[in-house]
Amino acid sequence: MSLLNHQIELLAPARDAEIGIEAINHGADAVYIGGPGFGARASAGNDIRDIERLCKHAHRFGSRIFITLNTILRDDELEPARQMAWDVYNAGADVLIVQDMGLLEIDLPPIQLHASTQTDIRSVEKARFMQDVGFSQIVLARELTLEQIRDIHQGLDPNRCQLEFFVHGALCVAYSGQCYISHAHTGRSANRGDCSQACRLPYQVTDSQGRFVAHDKHVLSMKDNNQSDNLEALIDAGVRSFKIEGRYKDMAYVKNITAHYRRLIDEVIESREGSYDPARPPLARASSGRTRFTFTPDPNQNFNREFTDYFVNGRQDDIGAFDTPKNPGQAIGWVTQVGPNWIELETSSPATVLHNGDGLCYYDLQKELVGVAINRAEPASAGKVGHWRVFPKDPMEGFKDLRRGTEINRNRDMDWVRLLEKKSSERRIGVWAALQDTPDGFELQLTDEDGHQGSARLQHPHEPARDAQRNEASLREHLGKFGATVFEPIDVSVALSQPWFVPASVLNPLRRDAIAALEAARAAAYQRPQRGQAVQPPVNYPEDTLSYLANVFNDRARAFYARHGVKVIAAAYESHEEEGEVSLMITKHCVRFSMSLCPKQAKGVTGVQGTVRAEPLTLINGKEKLTLRFDCKPCEMHVVGKIKRSVLNQAKAEPLTFYRTRPEAKPLH
C-alpha cells in the first residue's frame, strides 16, 4: 500500500482565517474554508488576502487548505467561479471542494479536486466514476455503514482516490444534495448555500385517516454526529480523512472539537507503531508537529443536540432530536426552591460550580426546552455544599412550569468559555540541533522531524572555556531556546573540537538565522497535492438518465454528463421545471421506524403482522403540508411536496433551454 494510504487526515472547518489558524494550531492536518463566493455556506466567505495568510500558516506544518466551491452554478456564474478558483490557487490553496460538474469543463488551475458531500456518493459505481473523472478525494454520504464504506474503499485505487467521512457535527437529515424543501418553500436553495432549515421545525404528524401520530415534534431534526468510538473501525474500513462539520461554528467549537479528535486519532496511530499485523498496518499523521493543549477537550461543552453515530453501525432507533433542535446541555441538578427573582438549585455533584453568565435550561411539561440565563450566581447558604441561588437575567414569570424538583441542565459554562478565549494550544515541530566549530567560527545545523535542514555560520574567535562541563550545559540550554517559533528541540548536540566559550550574544543570532534557514527550506520543499487525471477515453456515468436530483444547473454540467454517456438530462430543481409534486427530500431516516410503525418492526409480533403498512403520513407546520412516502426496498423516506407559486413568481434565473425530455417519476408506496 502507498504511503499516502497510511496517512490519516484530520480535516477541520473554519468560518474565517483566524479560526482556521487556530484549527491548525490545535492539530488539524487540513482546514476547509470558504473563498470569496460560491461556497455552500452563503455567509461564510473570505477575502483572498485572508486565504493567503491562512495558507502560509498551514504550510509551515505541512497542513493543507481546502476551498469550498461547492454550490451549483448558473451559466453566468461559471466565469466568476473560474476566476475565483485561480485567485485562491494563486493565494496558495491546495484543494477545491466542488459539487457542480460543470467546473470540470472549464479552465481551472492545476489544483487538486475533491468531490463534495453534495455529490451524494453512496455506491461503489458512483465513487469509481468520481475517481475516474479526476477527483482525488471523495466525501462519502453520512448515511453509510462500515460495510458500505469498506465496499467503496475496495472498489477504488487508494493511490488515486481517498475517502473522506464526516465524524462530528450537525447532521442534515436528507442525503446531502437531495433536499429541496428550502427552495420549494422560500426560494432559498440548499444547493446554492442558503438553506432555511425546514428540518429543524416542529411538525404535526398525521396518518392516512387524519389521526395524530405526533404533536409538535421535530421529526426531521437529527441529533449531532459523533464518531469518537468508531475511528479505528472507520480507518479499517478505508476512511483516510476525518471531517468535522461546522463552517458556521465559533472559535471555541473548532478549538475543542479539533483537539478532541487530534487526541483520539493520535492514540490510534501510536497504538500501531511497529505493528506487523496486515490487518492493523502502521499509520502516520498527514502533517508535521505535535500539539499540546492547556485544556482537556470535551465535546459535551459545545452546542450539540445530543449525539448519535447515525448509520455507521446500522440503523438505530435513537438518532432523532425530536423534542428540540436546541442545545439541551448536561444535567447538573434540581430546583429546590423558587423565589420572586431567584431560583435555588442543588447540584448532583458538589464539585459543580456555577458562574455569572452561565446558561441553564429545563424541559417544560410540553417537553419544550426553556432557557435560563444567569445574571448572578452565589452559594445558597453557608455550609451547604452544592446548593446555589441563581438570579436569572429574565423575569421569573416567563419560566413556564419551573418548580421544585425540576431537573436543570447547563448548556453554557462561562468558566469553559473563558478558558478557550485564551491561548489554548501549542503546535511544535521537533528539531535536532548540532553545534560545531569551523575554522573561523561556529556553525549550527538544524534538522527537523521531516528531514529538512537549515544551518547558519558565524565568524567568532575560538576562546577556551574556563569550566568545560558548565560551558557545555550552558551551550545546550541557550541553543534549545526556540521561543515562540514553531520548533522545539528533540536533542541538542555540541560537537566542538575543544570546549570553546561561545557567549549568548553569539548563540542567539546563530540560532535565529538557522531557524530562518530551516523555515525557508520547509517552505521551498512544500508541494501542493497534484490534480488527479481523468481516465481517457471518458468513462460512462453509471446511469444513462438523470432526473432533477442530479442538480444540473448550467450548460457545462449538461455537457459533462453528455460526454460521459448520459442520454437524458433533466434540469436542476432550482430551474423551476418541476412544478408538480416531487420528492423534496430523500432521507435514510424514517419517521415510521422512529415511531415504531415500520412494517419490518411488526414482523413476528402476534396479531400485528400484515396489518401495519408503510402508508403515507403527513407533516403539518402552520399552513405548510408535506407528504411522507416510504420506499421500503432501499429503506428510504421521501418527503413529497411542490414548489410554491410565490417562489415561481420570483425573478427567475437565466432560462435553461437544453432540457426537453425528462424521465418519468417512479411512484412510491
Side-chain angles (χ1 to χ4, degrees):
M1 298 173 73
S2 70
L3 176 63
L4 180 63
N5 201 40
H6 290 315
Q7 292 184 345
I8 306 302
E9 177 179 86
L10 175 58
L11 176 56
R15 184 176 63 202
D16 55 42
E18 296 305 325
I19 293 176
I21 287 169
E22 285 305 317
I24 298 296
N25 293 343
H26 285 71
D29 300 303
V31 165
Y32 66 103
I33 187 170
F38 308 114
R41 295 292 183 269
S43 58
N46 289 278
D47 185 86
I48 290 295
R49 288 169 295 183
D50 287 329
I51 298 295
E52 184 173 16
R53 181 162 57 94
L54 175 58
C55 290
K56 285 182 178 178
H57 184 72
H59 293 169
R60 298 175 82 187
F61 298 97
S63 295
R64 301 187 296 169
I65 299 303
F66 301 176
I67 304 298
T68 56
L69 207 170
N70 56 341
T71 58
I72 59 172
L73 304 167
R74 299 190 309 262
D75 286 298
D76 62 302
E77 292 173 326
L78 286 170
E79 175 56 22
R82 185 193 69 81
Q83 292 175 357
M84 192 198 88
W86 277 97
D87 287 343
V88 297
Y89 175 75
N90 291 331
D94 299 282
V95 167
L96 291 181
I97 305 174
V98 304
Q99 174 188 7
D100 196 317
M101 295 300 113
L103 291 168
L104 276 67
E105 298 289 304
I106 65 176
D107 175 33
L108 289 180
I111 190 170
Q112 190 169 95
L113 300 181
H114 291 185
S116 168
T117 184
Q118 283 94 343
T119 58
D120 187 32
I121 301 170
R122 289 179 269 152
S123 69
V124 176
E125 294 77 17
K126 180 82 170 280
R128 190 181 294 123
F129 174 80
M130 290 298 189
Q131 169 189 275
D132 289 345
V133 298
F135 286 101
S136 302
Q137 192 155 293
I138 56 177
V139 190
L140 296 175
R142 296 171 174 91
E143 293 79 5
L144 297 183
T145 65
L146 286 169
E147 184 178 359
Q148 290 170 317
I149 293 169
R150 187 176 294 109
D151 288 344
I152 290 173
H153 169 65
Q154 291 173 350
L156 298 179
D157 179 350
N159 294 309
R160 296 169 57 202
C161 191
Q162 296 290 320
L163 298 184
E164 181 181 316
F165 193 68
F166 277 98
V167 291
H168 201 93
L171 284 166
C172 294
V173 63
Y175 290 125
S176 191
Q178 306 288 277
C179 184
Y180 309 94
I181 296 177
S182 177
H183 186 79
H185 286 178
T186 68
R188 295 166 53 187
S189 168
N191 280 315
R192 288 176 55 75
D194 195 19
C195 181
S196 63
Q197 295 195 316
C199 55
R200 301 297 182 188
L201 297 175
Y203 290 96
Q204 319 291 350
V205 184
T206 61
D207 65 12
S208 57
Q209 299 179 48
R211 296 173 297 192
F212 279 94
V213 176
H215 178 73
D216 274 349
K217 290 291 183 181
H218 303 262
V219 295
L220 298 179
S221 179
M222 298 292 95
K223 292 180 179 178
D224 284 1
N225 188 18
N226 186 332
Q227 302 294 336
S228 297
D229 295 334
N230 298 322
L231 295 184
E232 190 158 18
L234 287 164
I235 288 171
D236 291 339
V239 175
R240 289 297 176 266
S241 180
F242 292 84
K243 187 172 192 173
I244 299 167
E245 180 275 338
R247 281 204 296 122
Y248 278 159
K249 300 291 189 180
D250 61 19
M251 178 80 81
Y253 170 93
V254 173
K255 283 184 173 185
N256 182 33
I257 303 305
T258 303
H260 171 70
Y261 282 95
R262 180 72 274 159
R263 283 191 165 184
L264 294 180
I265 290 173
D266 284 351
E267 286 175 8
V268 177
I269 292 172
E270 288 160 13
S271 74
R272 296 194 181 188
E273 288 180 356
S275 173
Y276 295 98
D277 182 355
R280 301 180 76 252
L283 303 167
R285 296 172 184 83
S287 61
S288 306
R290 298 293 184 103
T291 309
R292 287 187 290 271
F293 310 112
T294 62
F295 67 104
T296 301
D298 180 3
N300 287 307
Q301 290 286 359
N302 290 114
F303 179 100
N304 67 81
R305 302 172 181 89
E306 300 184 306
F307 292 121
T308 174
D309 68 358
Y310 215 32
F311 290 91
V312 164
N313 290 301
R315 185 177 289 279
Q316 311 292 321
D317 58 8
D318 61 346
I319 63 175
F322 298 156
D323 290 327
T324 178
K326 300 175 183 177
N327 176 18
Q330 302 170 76
I332 60 163
W334 300 267
V335 174
T336 57
Q337 194 175 349
V338 177
N341 65 338
W342 48 263
I343 306 163
E344 283 197 1
L345 310 173
E346 180 181 358
T347 60
S348 50
S349 168
T352 299
V353 177
L354 299 182
H355 318 95
N356 299 346
D358 278 2
L360 307 181
C361 58
Y362 67 94
Y363 286 101
D364 65 19
L365 295 178
Q366 283 71 47
K367 291 289 286 180
E368 285 293 326
L369 201 63
V370 180
V372 182
I374 298 179
N375 193 39
R376 187 170 89 253
E378 58 189 36
S381 57
K384 277 193 169 184
V385 178
H387 288 256
W388 291 83
R389 177 172 287 191
V390 300
F391 296 83
K393 180 181 177 183
D394 299 313
M396 292 297 298
E397 53 267 24
F399 300 122
K400 183 181 176 185
D401 300 328
L402 182 63
R403 61 194 69 181
R404 181 175 180 175
T406 300
E407 186 173 38
I408 294 291
N409 294 356
R410 177 163 59 184
N411 56 12
R412 185 179 68 249
D413 181 345
M414 284 306 297
D415 197 39
W416 175 268
V417 171
R418 293 187 188 103
L419 179 65
L420 289 187
E421 285 176 346
K422 304 172 185 176
K423 181 179 179 180
S424 51
S425 71
E426 276 192 349
R427 183 171 180 174
R428 299 292 180 89
I429 299 167
V431 168
W432 288 269
L435 178 69
Q436 60 188 17
D437 45 17
T438 64
D440 60 351
F442 299 92
E443 179 182 38
L444 177 62
Q445 185 170 87
L446 303 179
T447 305
D448 69 23
E449 62 190 52
D450 299 311
H452 303 110
Q453 291 188 332
S455 63
R457 288 190 171 201
L458 191 143
Q459 291 182 352
H460 189 76
H462 293 158
E463 303 173 16
R466 294 177 182 175
D467 185 332
Q469 189 174 356
R470 185 184 235 172
N471 180 67
E472 182 167 335
S474 177
L475 290 175
R476 290 179 186 277
E477 180 186 354
H478 281 91
L479 290 173
K481 291 180 178 179
F482 282 79
T485 71
V486 298
F487 302 108
E488 66 180 1
I490 297 173
D491 181 63
V492 177
S493 68
V494 177
L496 302 179
S497 59
Q498 294 184 46
W500 303 120
F501 169 69
V502 188
S505 60
V506 172
L507 290 176
N508 290 339
L510 188 66
R511 185 187 58 243
R512 185 172 59 246
D513 291 347
I515 288 172
L518 181 57
E519 285 261 29
R522 289 186 63 85
Y526 181 80
Q527 293 184 341
R528 286 192 270 191
Q530 292 185 337
R531 172 85 167 266
Q533 296 301 308
V535 171
Q536 296 297 335
V539 296
N540 279 347
Y541 188 74
E543 302 168 35
D544 65 2
T545 300
L546 294 178
S547 71
Y548 67 95
L549 298 171
N551 300 322
V552 178
F553 201 42
N554 59 70
D555 190 65
R556 292 300 184 98
R558 183 211 63 81
F560 170 87
Y561 284 111
R563 191 163 59 84
H564 290 280
V566 182
K567 307 299 182 188
V568 178
I569 305 169
Y573 190 75
E574 288 78 359
S575 69
H576 299 170
E577 291 197 11
E578 303 285 351
E579 297 187 17
E581 282 203 336
V582 296
S583 295
L584 295 179
M585 175 193 289
I586 305 174
T587 171
K588 194 70 177 172
H589 162 57
C590 177
V591 169
R592 295 190 70 92
F593 180 87
S594 296
M595 296 183 174
S596 300
L597 297 173
C598 171
K600 295 178 181 179
Q601 290 171 312
K603 286 182 179 179
V605 180
T606 304
V608 176
Q609 188 170 359
T611 65
V612 177
R613 296 181 176 83
E615 295 175 341
L617 299 175
T618 301
L619 295 185
I620 304 170
N621 175 270
K623 296 180 179 179
E624 307 290 357
K625 287 188 178 183
L626 295 163
T627 302
L628 301 182
R629 299 188 184 276
F630 303 92
D631 193 353
C632 292
K633 187 175 180 180
C635 213
E636 295 174 344
M637 181 176 77
H638 291 236
V639 183
V640 178
K642 60 190 297 186
I643 195 165
K644 281 187 169 183
R645 182 56 53 185
S646 59
V647 174
L648 290 173
N649 290 338
Q650 290 175 7
K652 291 189 176 182
E654 185 175 333
L656 303 174
T657 59
F658 51 84
Y659 308 102
R660 283 294 174 264
T661 308
R662 295 194 297 277
E664 295 181 5
K666 296 179 181 178
L668 298 174
H669 299 293

